[in-house]
Amino acid sequence: MYISMKSSGNSEMSAFPAETPIGMCYVPFQQWETPYAENIALERGTMFPSLDLPFCGKEVSCDERK
């Protein structure tokens, strides 16, 4: 099914199309934002502040799996 993404006079698009069916996976449209300066973007691994998410993972040892 094709869903039109035409704007109805609004300057901003919705994160999801109108009439989005349930039970389907979607990735919201990324809204434009002021990017990081080049040196910061290279350091952070992304040029967009909203995609700059902390990684809080850690390695799991065999002892911690029990």
Side-chain angles (χ1 to χ4, degrees), residues 35-47 49 52:
Y36 284 140
E38 292 175 6
N39 60 327
I40 303 293
L42 285 171
E43 181 181 304
R44 305 293 264 171
T46 182
M47 63 186 290
D52 188 359

Side-chain angles (χ1 to χ4, degrees), residues 43-65:
E43 181 181 304
R44 305 293 264 171
T46 182
M47 63 186 290
F48 298 106
S50 64
L51 297 178
D52 188 359
L53 304 172
F55 178 72
C56 299
K58 66 176 187 173
E59 184 174 330
V60 178
S61 68
C62 293
D63 296 333
E64 293 179 18
R65 292 183 191 172

Side-chain angles (χ1 to χ4, degrees), residues 1 8-15 21 23-24 26 29 32 35 38 44 47-48 50 54 56 58 63-64:
M1 167 165 68
S8 59
N10 296 338
S11 61
E12 294 184 55
M13 294 179 94
S14 170
M24 301 291 289
Y26 294 92
F29 291 105
W32 177 256
E38 292 175 6
R44 305 293 264 171
M47 63 186 290
F48 298 106
S50 64
C56 299
K58 66 176 187 173
D63 296 333
E64 293 179 18

